[in-house]
Amino acid sequence: MLHPRARTLLLLALPALTIGVASSLVLLLVMKIAAVLQSILWFGIPWRLGVDPDSPGWILLMLTLTGVAVGLVIRFSTGHGGPDPATEPLISAPVAVNALPGLVLALILGLAGGVSLGPEHPVMVLNIALAVAIGARAFPRVAPLDWTILASAGTLGALFGTPVAAALIFSQTLTASNDVPLWDRLFAPLMAAAAGALTTTVLSHPHFTLPIPHYPQLHIVDIISGAVVTMLAIALGMVAVWCLPRLHQLMQRLKNPVLALGIGGFLLGILGIMGGNITLFKGLDEMQQLAFAQTFTVSDYLLFAVIKLAALVVATACGFRGGRIFPAVFVGVALGLMLHQHVDAVPAAVTVSCAVLGLVLVVTRDGWLSLFLAAVVVPDTTLLPLLCIVMLPAWLLLAGKPMMVAPRRDK
């Protein structure tokens, strides 16, 4: 009943499903361990010592010790804790398996210790390396690139709880040919992404959506306002793009990762004291606090956005293992809420979604992923035409501009 081409695609279903589920389980396991350790460090130990975990002294101590601990892992582990995220895109070539234990330990310590980075890059590296290593043994005729695509698709689905992001990203990278239609190429990655997304949704229930009031109807003035918000977000993000490679180069001169990350942790502690605990950690749960709180002022939101962006640059430049997407979304939410409160005539749905769009676009330089995250944070279909329109001048503004990546150090 099936065409030979369809039977070939069906043969890919089981490996794709397996990799998707495994990618989600790896992510959830890492996040669970980090959450338990975070609870011990920020609640259990301070409670036993009679210390306020929100106090400046505890924040400074925890971030500094976290920097030293991550530095020791990178200094003495095999493979030096995996690739430096400051010099790598989200999806890159597989690394050696012996570098993974150090990478996982450095990631867990950073997430639990309050570092302003997300799990996306190290978990992507971990899943790709495992898929390539295991896949090469089980199916030696399959190219490593195919395992890389399936693992990255499964991880994207697991991270966001939906296969849509993977579909959008791979639709622009897996170009179709006359012999192989695009959807034939997308079949296995989408299967992996769907399996990863369903596993995460069943076991964890990820929550990106914010309680933003419904946007009832599109108006021309909102398109203009949204474009202005997006430009402001891009301008703020480009400051970070300018700072990252310069600070990264400065920290690399220290040679010793323990010293560099110890100094970085101390700087993150100072920033955490200035911004409070809401500016620590990866930012996913903290942006929910931003949206639910009714007591923050325009100055508070601006402070949160600037501090979080500075912490993102410092953490990345110093060599902490983590991703930049989740903190960028937090910065966009804080900036959007600040602009809405400053000019309340512009709906919060417009300011928040457009600010997230601009910040993620600067950090990832991926239009589809930026549109996806803006639409997930404020899930209102009425906003989709507006977001597509404001994307055009934003992309025009960023065309040819440097990306948020530091140059690799010569070995």
Side-chain angles (χ1 to χ4, degrees):
M1 292 179 63
L2 294 177
H3 189 275
R5 198 175 81 194
R7 289 198 294 269
T8 301
L9 294 177
L10 193 59
L11 289 175
L12 299 173
L14 183 58
L17 286 172
T18 303
I19 290 177
V21 172
S23 297
S24 176
L25 292 177
V26 168
L27 171 66
L28 294 176
L29 178 61
V30 169
M31 297 299 293
K32 182 62 176 179
I33 295 173
V36 171
L37 182 58
Q38 176 183 329
S39 178
I40 294 172
L41 295 177
W42 291 91
F43 297 101
I45 295 178
W47 180 79
R48 288 183 177 274
L49 297 177
V51 177
D52 182 5
D54 296 333
S55 64
W58 189 258
I59 292 175
L60 188 62
L61 176 65
M62 284 306 308
L63 268 300
T64 304
L65 291 180
T66 298
V68 172
V70 174
L72 288 170
V73 170
I74 293 174
R75 171 68 178 81
F76 294 106
S77 64
T78 304
H80 302 293
D84 183 358
T87 64
E88 298 286 332
L90 178 61
I91 302 173
S92 55
V95 303
V97 175
N98 61 5
L100 299 183
L103 174 65
V104 173
L105 183 55
L107 170 62
I108 290 173
L109 290 173
L111 290 174
V115 175
S116 293
L117 292 174
E120 58 272 19
H121 181 268
V123 171
M124 185 73 74
V125 172
L126 174 62
N127 284 336
I128 289 174
L130 291 175
V132 170
I134 297 173
R137 289 179 176 271
F139 304 95
R141 294 184 179 181
V142 179
L145 178 60
D146 294 326
W147 298 118
T148 299
I149 292 172
L150 291 180
S152 54
T155 306
L156 286 169
L159 280 168
F160 303 118
T162 172
V164 175
L168 294 174
I169 290 175
F170 285 107
S171 67
Q172 64 185 353
T173 56
L174 300 178
T175 54
S177 66
N178 293 330
D179 299 326
V180 183
L182 174 61
W183 277 94
D184 279 18
R185 293 173 178 263
L186 281 175
F187 181 84
L190 275 182
M191 185 74 73
L198 288 173
T199 304
T200 299
T201 301
V202 169
L203 298 179
S204 178
H205 308 291
H207 50 286
F208 281 87
T209 301
L210 297 181
I212 302 295
H214 174 67
Y215 180 67
Q217 185 177 357
L218 179 65
H219 299 93
I220 298 297
V221 67
D222 291 333
I223 295 177
I224 299 173
S225 301
V228 172
V229 171
T230 306
M231 297 301 176
L232 291 174
I234 288 174
L236 181 62
M238 288 306 294
V239 174
V241 171
W242 185 89
C243 292
L244 176 62
R246 289 159 177 82
L247 183 57
H248 183 266
Q249 183 181 23
L250 179 64
M251 300 307 294
Q252 291 297 312
R253 291 179 182 176
L254 297 176
K255 304 296 184 182
N256 190 329
V258 181
L259 179 60
L261 284 157
I263 294 174
F266 180 79
L267 294 175
L268 290 177
I270 294 176
L271 291 171
I273 293 171
M274 296 170 60
N277 275 18
I278 199 170
T279 60
L280 303 180
F281 307 104
K282 62 182 180 292
L284 181 58
D285 297 327
E286 290 71 25
M287 75 180 190
Q288 298 288 336
Q289 299 176 33
L290 288 179
F292 277 105
Q294 303 292 328
T295 58
F296 295 134
T297 64
V298 171
S299 300
D300 292 331
Y301 285 125
L302 180 60
L303 176 67
F304 296 153
V306 172
I307 292 296
K308 190 69 172 183
L309 190 61
L312 167 60
V313 172
V314 170
T316 305
C318 292
F320 284 98
R321 287 352 187 205
R324 300 187 284 274
I325 296 176
F326 284 19
V329 173
F330 175 95
V331 176
V333 170
L335 181 64
L337 291 173
M338 183 272 290
L339 292 172
H340 167 67
Q341 196 167 91
H342 183 61
V343 185
D344 58 3
V346 183
V350 173
T351 58
V352 172
S353 61
C354 290
V356 170
L357 173 70
L359 260 300
V360 176
L361 189 61
V362 169
V363 170
T364 66
R365 212 57 58 91
D366 189 304
W368 283 125
L369 185 58
S370 304
L371 280 170
F372 165 76
L373 284 172
V376 166
V377 171
V378 187
D380 198 326
T381 55
T382 314
L383 285 169
L384 287 177
L386 182 148
L387 292 174
C388 291
I389 293 171
V390 302
M391 170 65 78
L392 301 177
W395 190 263
L396 187 66
L397 184 64
L398 286 172
K401 296 294 191 300
M403 299 181 66
M404 195 174 182
V405 177
R408 288 186 175 89
R409 183 178 58 178
D410 295 331
K411 299 282 186 179

Coordinates of all heavy atoms in Angstrom, one line a residue, residues 40-103:
I40 N 18.8 23.2 47.5 CA 19.7 23.0 48.6 C 20.6 24.3 48.8 O 20.7 24.7 50.0 CB 20.6 21.8 48.3 CG1 19.8 20.5 48.3 CG2 21.7 21.7 49.4 CD1 20.6 19.3 47.9
L41 N 21.1 24.8 47.7 CA 22.0 26.0 47.9 C 21.3 27.2 48.3 O 21.9 28.1 49.0 CB 22.8 26.2 46.5 CG 23.7 25.1 46.1 CD1 24.3 25.4 44.7 CD2 24.8 24.9 47.1
W42 N 20.1 27.4 47.8 CA 19.4 28.7 48.0 C 18.3 28.7 49.0 O 17.7 29.7 49.4 CB 18.8 29.2 46.6 CG 19.9 29.6 45.7 CD1 20.5 28.8 44.7 CD2 20.6 30.9 45.6 NE1 21.5 29.5 44.1 CE2 21.5 30.8 44.6 CE3 20.4 32.1 46.2 CZ2 22.3 31.9 44.2 CZ3 21.2 33.2 45.9 CH2 22.1 33.1 44.9
F43 N 18.0 27.5 49.5 CA 16.9 27.4 50.5 C 17.4 26.5 51.7 O 17.3 27.0 52.9 CB 15.6 26.8 50.0 CG 15.0 27.7 48.9 CD1 15.2 27.4 47.5 CD2 14.3 28.8 49.2 CE1 14.6 28.2 46.6 CE2 13.7 29.6 48.3 CZ 13.9 29.3 46.9
G44 N 17.9 25.3 51.4 CA 18.2 24.4 52.5 C 19.4 24.9 53.4 O 19.3 25.0 54.6
I45 N 20.5 25.2 52.7 CA 21.7 25.7 53.5 C 21.4 27.0 54.2 O 21.7 27.1 55.4 CB 22.9 25.7 52.6 CG1 23.3 24.3 52.1 CG2 24.1 26.3 53.3 CD1 24.4 24.2 51.1
P46 N 20.9 28.0 53.5 CA 20.6 29.3 54.2 C 19.7 29.1 55.4 O 19.8 29.7 56.4 CB 20.0 30.2 53.1 CG 20.5 29.6 51.9 CD 20.6 28.1 52.1
W47 N 18.7 28.2 55.2 CA 17.7 28.0 56.3 C 18.4 27.4 57.5 O 18.1 27.8 58.7 CB 16.6 27.1 55.9 CG 15.6 26.8 56.9 CD1 14.5 27.6 57.3 CD2 15.5 25.6 57.7 NE1 13.8 27.0 58.3 CE2 14.4 25.8 58.6 CE3 16.2 24.4 57.8 CZ2 14.0 24.8 59.5 CZ3 15.8 23.5 58.7 CH2 14.7 23.7 59.6
R48 N 19.3 26.4 57.3 CA 20.0 25.8 58.4 C 21.0 26.8 59.1 O 21.2 26.7 60.3 CB 20.8 24.6 57.9 CG 19.9 23.4 57.6 CD 20.7 22.2 57.2 NE 19.8 21.0 56.9 CZ 19.4 20.2 57.9 NH1 19.7 20.4 59.1 NH2 18.6 19.2 57.6
L49 N 21.5 27.7 58.3 CA 22.5 28.7 58.8 C 21.8 29.9 59.4 O 22.5 30.8 60.0 CB 23.5 29.1 57.7 CG 24.4 28.0 57.2 CD1 25.3 28.5 56.1 CD2 25.3 27.4 58.3
G50 N 20.5 30.0 59.2 CA 19.8 31.2 59.6 C 20.1 32.5 58.8 O 20.2 33.6 59.3
V51 N 20.4 32.3 57.5 CA 20.8 33.3 56.6 C 19.7 33.6 55.6 O 19.0 32.7 55.1 CB 22.1 33.0 55.9 CG1 22.5 34.1 54.9 CG2 23.2 32.7 56.9
D52 N 19.5 34.9 55.3 CA 18.5 35.2 54.3 C 19.1 35.0 52.9 O 20.1 35.6 52.5 CB 18.1 36.7 54.4 CG 17.0 37.1 53.4 OD1 16.5 36.2 52.7 OD2 16.7 38.3 53.4
P53 N 18.5 34.1 52.1 CA 19.1 33.8 50.7 C 19.1 35.0 49.8 O 19.8 35.0 48.8 CB 18.3 32.6 50.2 CG 17.0 32.7 51.0 CD 17.4 33.2 52.3
D54 N 18.2 36.0 50.1 CA 18.1 37.2 49.3 C 19.1 38.3 49.7 O 19.2 39.3 49.1 CB 16.7 37.8 49.3 CG 15.7 36.8 48.7 OD1 16.1 36.0 47.8 OD2 14.5 36.9 49.1
S55 N 19.9 38.0 50.8 CA 20.8 39.0 51.3 C 22.0 39.2 50.3 O 22.4 38.3 49.6 CB 21.3 38.6 52.7 OG 22.1 37.4 52.6
P56 N 22.5 40.4 50.2 CA 23.7 40.6 49.3 C 24.8 39.7 49.6 O 25.5 39.3 48.7 CB 24.0 42.1 49.6 CG 22.7 42.7 50.1 CD 22.1 41.6 50.9
G57 N 25.1 39.4 50.9 CA 26.3 38.6 51.2 C 26.1 37.2 50.6 O 27.1 36.6 50.1
W58 N 24.9 36.6 50.8 CA 24.7 35.2 50.3 C 24.7 35.2 48.8 O 25.3 34.3 48.2 CB 23.4 34.7 50.8 CG 23.2 33.2 50.5 CD1 22.5 32.7 49.5 CD2 23.8 32.2 51.1 NE1 22.6 31.3 49.5 CE2 23.4 31.0 50.5 CE3 24.7 32.1 52.2 CZ2 23.9 29.7 50.9 CZ3 25.2 30.8 52.6 CH2 24.7 29.7 52.0
I59 N 24.1 36.2 48.1 CA 24.2 36.2 46.6 C 25.6 36.3 46.1 O 26.0 35.6 45.2 CB 23.3 37.4 46.1 CG1 21.9 37.2 46.4 CG2 23.6 37.6 44.6 CD1 21.0 38.4 46.1
L60 N 26.4 37.2 46.7 CA 27.8 37.4 46.3 C 28.6 36.1 46.6 O 29.4 35.6 45.7 CB 28.4 38.5 47.0 CG 29.8 39.0 46.6 CD1 29.8 39.4 45.1 CD2 30.4 40.1 47.5
L61 N 28.4 35.5 47.7 CA 29.1 34.3 48.1 C 28.8 33.1 47.1 O 29.7 32.4 46.6 CB 28.8 33.9 49.5 CG 29.4 32.5 50.0 CD1 30.9 32.6 50.1 CD2 28.8 32.2 51.4
M62 N 27.5 32.9 46.9 CA 27.0 31.8 46.0 C 27.5 31.9 44.6 O 28.0 31.0 44.0 CB 25.5 31.7 46.0 CG 24.9 31.1 47.3 SD 25.6 29.5 47.7 CE 25.4 28.6 46.2
L63 N 27.4 33.1 44.0 CA 27.9 33.3 42.6 C 29.4 33.2 42.5 O 29.9 32.6 41.5 CB 27.4 34.7 42.1 CG 26.0 34.7 41.4 CD1 26.0 33.8 40.2 CD2 24.9 34.4 42.3
T64 N 30.1 33.7 43.5 CA 31.6 33.6 43.4 C 32.0 32.1 43.6 O 32.9 31.7 42.8 CB 32.2 34.4 44.6 OG1 31.8 35.8 44.4 CG2 33.7 34.4 44.5
L65 N 31.4 31.4 44.5 CA 31.8 30.0 44.7 C 31.4 29.2 43.5 O 32.1 28.2 43.1 CB 31.1 29.5 46.0 CG 31.7 30.0 47.3 CD1 30.9 29.3 48.5 CD2 33.2 29.7 47.4
T66 N 30.2 29.5 42.9 CA 29.8 28.8 41.7 C 30.8 29.0 40.6 O 31.2 28.1 39.8 CB 28.4 29.4 41.2 OG1 27.5 29.1 42.2 CG2 28.0 28.7 39.9
G67 N 31.3 30.3 40.4 CA 32.3 30.5 39.4 C 33.6 29.7 39.6 O 34.2 29.1 38.7
V68 N 34.0 29.7 40.9 CA 35.3 28.9 41.2 C 35.0 27.4 40.9 O 35.9 26.7 40.4 CB 35.7 29.1 42.7 CG1 36.8 28.2 43.1 CG2 36.1 30.6 42.9
A69 N 33.8 26.9 41.3 CA 33.5 25.5 41.1 C 33.5 25.1 39.6 O 34.1 24.1 39.2 CB 32.2 25.1 41.8
V70 N 32.8 25.9 38.8 CA 32.8 25.7 37.4 C 34.2 25.8 36.8 O 34.6 25.0 35.9 CB 31.8 26.7 36.7 CG1 31.9 26.5 35.2 CG2 30.4 26.4 37.2
G71 N 35.0 26.8 37.3 CA 36.3 26.9 36.8 C 37.2 25.7 37.1 O 38.0 25.2 36.2
L72 N 37.0 25.1 38.3 CA 37.7 23.9 38.6 C 37.3 22.7 37.7 O 38.2 21.9 37.3 CB 37.5 23.5 40.1 CG 38.2 24.4 41.1 CD1 37.7 24.1 42.5 CD2 39.7 24.3 41.0
V73 N 36.0 22.6 37.4 CA 35.6 21.5 36.5 C 36.2 21.7 35.1 O 36.7 20.7 34.5 CB 34.0 21.6 36.4 CG1 33.5 20.6 35.3 CG2 33.4 21.2 37.8
I74 N 36.1 22.9 34.6 CA 36.7 23.1 33.3 C 38.2 22.9 33.2 O 38.8 22.4 32.3 CB 36.3 24.6 32.8 CG1 34.8 24.6 32.6 CG2 37.0 24.9 31.5 CD1 34.3 26.0 32.3
R75 N 38.9 23.3 34.3 CA 40.3 23.2 34.4 C 40.8 21.8 34.4 O 41.8 21.4 33.8 CB 40.8 24.0 35.6 CG 42.3 23.8 35.9 CD 43.2 24.4 34.8 NE 44.6 24.3 35.2 CZ 45.3 23.2 34.9 NH1 44.8 22.1 34.4 NH2 46.6 23.1 35.3
F76 N 40.1 20.9 35.2 CA 40.6 19.6 35.4 C 39.8 18.4 34.8 O 40.3 17.3 34.8 CB 40.7 19.3 36.9 CG 41.6 20.2 37.7 CD1 41.2 21.3 38.4 CD2 43.0 20.0 37.5 CE1 42.1 22.1 39.1 CE2 43.9 20.8 38.2 CZ 43.5 21.9 39.0
S77 N 38.7 18.7 34.1 CA 38.0 17.7 33.5 C 38.5 17.4 32.1 O 39.1 18.2 31.4 CB 36.5 18.0 33.3 OG 36.3 19.2 32.5
T78 N 38.3 16.2 31.6 CA 38.7 15.8 30.3 C 37.9 16.6 29.2 O 36.7 16.7 29.3 CB 38.5 14.3 30.0 OG1 39.2 13.6 31.0 CG2 39.0 13.9 28.7
G79 N 38.6 17.2 28.3 CA 37.9 18.0 27.3 C 37.5 19.4 27.8 O 36.9 20.1 27.0
H80 N 38.0 19.7 29.0 CA 37.8 21.1 29.5 C 36.3 21.6 29.5 O 36.0 22.7 29.1 CB 38.7 22.1 28.8 CG 40.1 21.7 28.8 ND1 40.9 21.7 30.0 CD2 41.0 21.3 27.9 CE1 42.1 21.3 29.8 NE2 42.2 21.1 28.5
G81 N 35.4 20.7 29.8 CA 34.0 21.1 29.9 C 33.3 21.3 28.6 O 32.3 22.1 28.6
G82 N 33.8 20.7 27.6 CA 33.2 20.9 26.3 C 33.5 22.3 25.6 O 34.3 23.0 26.1
P83 N 32.8 22.6 24.5 CA 33.1 23.8 23.8 C 32.7 25.1 24.6 O 31.7 25.0 25.3 CB 32.3 23.7 22.5 CG 31.2 22.7 22.8 CD 31.8 21.8 23.8
D84 N 33.4 26.2 24.3 CA 33.0 27.4 24.9 C 31.8 28.0 24.2 O 31.8 28.3 23.0 CB 34.2 28.4 24.8 CG 33.9 29.7 25.4 OD1 32.8 29.9 26.0 OD2 34.8 30.6 25.4
P85 N 30.6 28.1 24.9 CA 29.4 28.6 24.2 C 29.5 30.0 23.6 O 28.8 30.3 22.7 CB 28.4 28.6 25.4 CG 28.9 27.6 26.4 CD 30.4 27.8 26.3
A86 N 30.5 30.8 24.1 CA 30.6 32.1 23.6 C 31.1 32.1 22.1 O 30.9 33.1 21.4 CB 31.6 32.9 24.4
T87 N 31.7 31.0 21.7 CA 32.3 30.9 20.3 C 31.5 30.0 19.4 O 31.9 29.8 18.3 CB 33.7 30.4 20.4 OG1 33.8 29.1 20.9 CG2 34.6 31.3 21.3
E88 N 30.4 29.5 19.9 CA 29.6 28.4 19.2 C 28.2 28.9 18.9 O 27.6 29.6 19.7 CB 29.6 27.1 20.0 CG 30.9 26.5 20.3 CD 31.5 25.9 19.1 OE1 30.7 25.4 18.2 OE2 32.8 25.8 19.0
P89 N 27.7 28.4 17.7 CA 26.2 28.6 17.5 C 25.4 27.6 18.3 O 26.0 26.7 18.9 CB 26.1 28.3 16.0 CG 27.2 27.4 15.7 CD 28.3 27.8 16.6
L90 N 24.1 27.7 18.2 CA 23.3 26.7 19.0 C 23.5 25.3 18.5 O 23.6 24.4 19.4 CB 21.8 27.1 18.8 CG 20.8 26.2 19.5 CD1 21.0 26.2 21.1 CD2 19.3 26.7 19.2
I91 N 23.5 25.1 17.2 CA 23.7 23.7 16.7 C 25.1 23.7 16.0 O 25.4 24.5 15.1 CB 22.7 23.4 15.7 CG1 21.3 23.5 16.3 CG2 22.9 22.0 15.1 CD1 20.1 23.3 15.3
S92 N 26.0 22.8 16.5 CA 27.4 22.7 16.0 C 27.8 21.3 15.8 O 27.0 20.3 16.1 CB 28.3 23.5 16.9 OG 28.2 23.0 18.2
A93 N 29.0 21.0 15.4 CA 29.5 19.7 15.2 C 29.6 18.9 16.5 O 29.8 19.5 17.6 CB 30.9 19.8 14.5
P94 N 29.5 17.6 16.4 CA 29.6 16.8 17.6 C 31.0 16.8 18.3 O 32.0 17.0 17.6 CB 29.3 15.4 17.1 CG 29.5 15.4 15.7 CD 29.2 16.8 15.2
V95 N 31.0 16.7 19.6 CA 32.2 16.7 20.4 C 32.5 15.3 20.8 O 31.7 14.4 20.8 CB 32.2 17.7 21.6 CG1 31.8 19.1 21.1 CG2 31.1 17.2 22.6
A96 N 33.7 15.1 21.4 CA 34.1 13.8 21.9 C 33.3 13.5 23.2 O 33.0 14.4 24.0 CB 35.6 13.8 22.3
V97 N 32.9 12.2 23.3 CA 32.1 11.8 24.4 C 32.8 12.0 25.7 O 32.1 12.3 26.8 CB 31.7 10.3 24.2 CG1 31.0 9.8 25.4 CG2 30.9 10.1 23.0
N98 N 34.1 11.9 25.8 CA 34.8 12.1 27.1 C 34.8 13.5 27.6 O 35.1 13.7 28.8 CB 36.3 11.6 27.0 CG 37.1 12.4 25.9 OD1 36.6 13.4 25.3 ND2 38.3 12.0 25.7
A99 N 34.3 14.5 26.8 CA 34.1 15.8 27.3 C 32.8 16.1 27.9 O 32.6 17.1 28.5 CB 34.3 16.8 26.1
L100 N 31.9 15.1 27.8 CA 30.5 15.3 28.3 C 30.4 15.4 29.8 O 29.6 16.2 30.3 CB 29.6 14.2 27.7 CG 29.5 14.2 26.1 CD1 28.5 13.2 25.7 CD2 29.1 15.6 25.6
P101 N 31.0 14.5 30.6 CA 30.8 14.6 32.0 C 31.2 16.0 32.6 O 30.5 16.5 33.4 CB 31.8 13.5 32.6 CG 31.9 12.5 31.4 CD 31.9 13.3 30.2
G102 N 32.3 16.5 32.1 CA 32.7 17.9 32.6 C 31.7 18.9 32.1 O 31.4 19.9 32.9
L103 N 31.2 18.8 30.9 CA 30.2 19.7 30.4 C 28.9 19.7 31.2 O 28.3 20.7 31.6 CB 29.8 19.4 28.9 CG 28.7 20.2 28.3 CD1 29.1 21.7 28.2 CD2 28.4 19.6 26.9

